[in-house]
């Protein structure tokens, strides 16, 4: 499957660094070429269906109506 067009503007290409599987949901860490880590929480079923394993090249797509920032 390939994506020919998508409306998500925040896209981070990278490789899966780590997958922490839980019984229902899992954490997937994606490392970009610049070293940025993007973490996604997805269903464990999706991890298996998409064959998400360390080293696999993926694109992390981020679409959000709100981004919160806290002052330090």
């Amino acid at each position: 499957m390939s994506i020919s067009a998508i409306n998500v503007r925040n896209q981070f290409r990278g490789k899966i660094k780590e997958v922490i599987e839980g019984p229902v949901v899992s954490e997937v860490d994606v490392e970009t070429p610049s070293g940025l880590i993007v973490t996604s929480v997805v269903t464990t079923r999706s991890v298996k269906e998409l064959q998400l394993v360390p080293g696999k090249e993926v694109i992390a797509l981020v679409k959000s109506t709100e981004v919160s920032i806290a002052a330090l």
Side-chain angles (χ1 to χ4, degrees), residues 24-35:
V24 178
V25 295
S26 299
E27 291 182 38
V28 180
D29 289 343
V30 177
E31 185 172 14
T32 68
S34 65

Side-chain angles (χ1 to χ4, degrees), residues 36-55:
L36 173 73
I37 302 293
V38 178
T39 301
S40 178
V41 176
V42 299
T43 63
T44 300
R45 180 178 182 174
S46 290
V47 168
K48 294 178 186 322
E49 288 178 357
L50 296 171
Q51 300 175 4
L52 301 179
V53 294

